[in-house]
Amino acid sequence: MPLVSVVMPVYNSAATLGASIRSVLAQSHSDLELLVTDDGSSDDSMDLLMEFARQDERVLPEPAPGRGGAARARNLAIGRARGDYVAFLDSDDMWLPDKVERQIDFAATADAPLTFTSYYKVDAAYDGEGADFIPNGRVVRAREYVDYRAMLTQDHIGALTAMYDRTVLGTRLMPEMHKRQDYALWLSIMRDGTPARGLPEPLAVYRSHRAGSLSSNKLSLVPYNWALYREHERLSVPRSAQALTGAVWHSLRKSRI
């Protein structure tokens, strides 16, 4: 049974952290480790993490050495990973109970080292658990196949659903950008010749329009996308402009779900 390393950055997430952690620990695929980096929280997040760690040895929290942002927090967790697969979940999102099992089976069948799934959206005030989630009509559908060119004009991969195979791709870290670091990681993997495969089944739950979320205001991401295209992907100005136009259009469409 492959070991899955689950990467979770935390910053002042005490209100939603418990549900996120329980959704990982309740997975039907139980051979996993939950690598949590607390990025200098001032609420009860670290205390809550330590309590979960006392109850379940698979929960492995560590404080970051000073605040460094989400990318650095994720990379510190990835650096501790022992798993065959690396998966990602933020501290206010959740997985459905068979997410990991279904995705591992899919990755093996599709011979795909980078996979993602469809996911549900709920409002920020949602107070349920992943284990008892009742499907709603707000589904962001996973595209069956995504290559580098398609990814430039839309980030098709919801980070809460992404999983990559370390035995094939090695340990891949996120560029330490303030925003869009997950998008940059998927692009770098695809630029190296690995497309992503999408599982159409929705297997995760994303809290939308949450206060303080890096993705709560889609238009605020425009300068970060531009910097990603120009500085990280080294695209020309015309090609960056074309990619940015497509990214904004698709992002606004998805935000209506």
Side-chain angles (χ1 to χ4, degrees), residues 47-98:
D47 292 337
L48 186 58
L49 286 169
M50 296 308 297
E51 181 59 31
F52 273 105
R54 283 190 287 269
Q55 296 174 9
D56 195 313
E57 63 182 5
R58 296 174 297 172
V59 180
L60 303 170
E62 278 195 6
R67 287 214 60 204
R72 182 164 172 250
R74 289 187 177 113
N75 286 342
L76 288 169
I78 295 171
R80 296 191 283 137
R82 299 180 298 113
D84 303 288
Y85 292 92
V86 174
F88 299 87
L89 183 66
D90 283 350
S91 56
D92 46 4
D93 298 325
M94 295 176 291
W95 286 345
L96 301 189
D98 59 348

Side-chain angles (χ1 to χ4, degrees), residues 4-196:
V4 177
S5 297
V6 184
V7 169
M8 179 180 289
V10 168
Y11 177 69
N12 287 347
S13 304
T16 57
L17 180 58
S20 298
I21 292 176
R22 286 188 291 271
S23 78
V24 174
L25 301 181
Q27 289 296 300
S28 56
H29 180 97
S30 60
D31 197 6
L32 52 83
E33 57 179 6
L34 177 55
L35 304 167
V36 189
T37 304
D38 181 78
D39 193 31
S41 294
S42 58
D43 65 359
D44 296 329
S45 292
M46 196 63 194
D47 292 337
L48 186 58
L49 286 169
M50 296 308 297
E51 181 59 31
F52 273 105
R54 283 190 287 269
Q55 296 174 9
D56 195 313
E57 63 182 5
R58 296 174 297 172
V59 180
L60 303 170
E62 278 195 6
R67 287 214 60 204
R72 182 164 172 250
R74 289 187 177 113
N75 286 342
L76 288 169
I78 295 171
R80 296 191 283 137
R82 299 180 298 113
D84 303 288
Y85 292 92
V86 174
F88 299 87
L89 183 66
D90 283 350
S91 56
D92 46 4
D93 298 325
M94 295 176 291
W95 286 345
L96 301 189
D98 59 348
K99 190 262 188 191
V100 171
E101 180 180 6
R102 295 278 296 114
Q103 195 164 359
I104 288 176
D105 289 345
F106 173 72
T109 301
D111 191 22
L114 176 61
T115 60
F116 61 107
T117 81
S118 300
Y119 60 91
Y120 294 102
K121 292 177 71 173
V122 296
D123 293 333
Y126 179 80
D127 61 358
E129 298 280 333
D132 56 21
F133 179 74
I134 299 174
N136 59 27
R138 301 177 65 189
V139 179
V140 178
R141 301 288 179 186
R143 191 166 173 171
E144 181 180 348
Y145 175 92
V146 182
D147 59 12
Y148 179 74
R149 183 175 181 179
M151 196 69 172
L152 280 175
T153 56
Q154 181 182 356
D155 182 2
H156 291 274
I157 299 177
L160 73 163
T161 76
M163 186 173 73
Y164 74 79
D165 188 338
R166 279 181 74 225
T167 67
V168 176
L169 300 176
T171 299
R172 304 292 295 250
L173 301 176
M174 292 188 174
E176 294 201 6
M177 307 160 59
H178 181 56
K179 298 184 182 182
R180 309 306 279 149
Q181 62 269 10
D182 53 341
Y183 186 18
L185 175 58
W186 321 142
L187 282 170
S188 69
I189 292 174
M190 293 181 191
R191 188 182 348 103
D192 291 343
T194 300

Side-chain angles (χ1 to χ4, degrees), residues 192-208:
D192 291 343
T194 300
R197 300 280 182 172
L199 179 61
E201 184 178 355
L203 295 172
V205 180
Y206 170 82
R207 295 180 194 271
S208 62

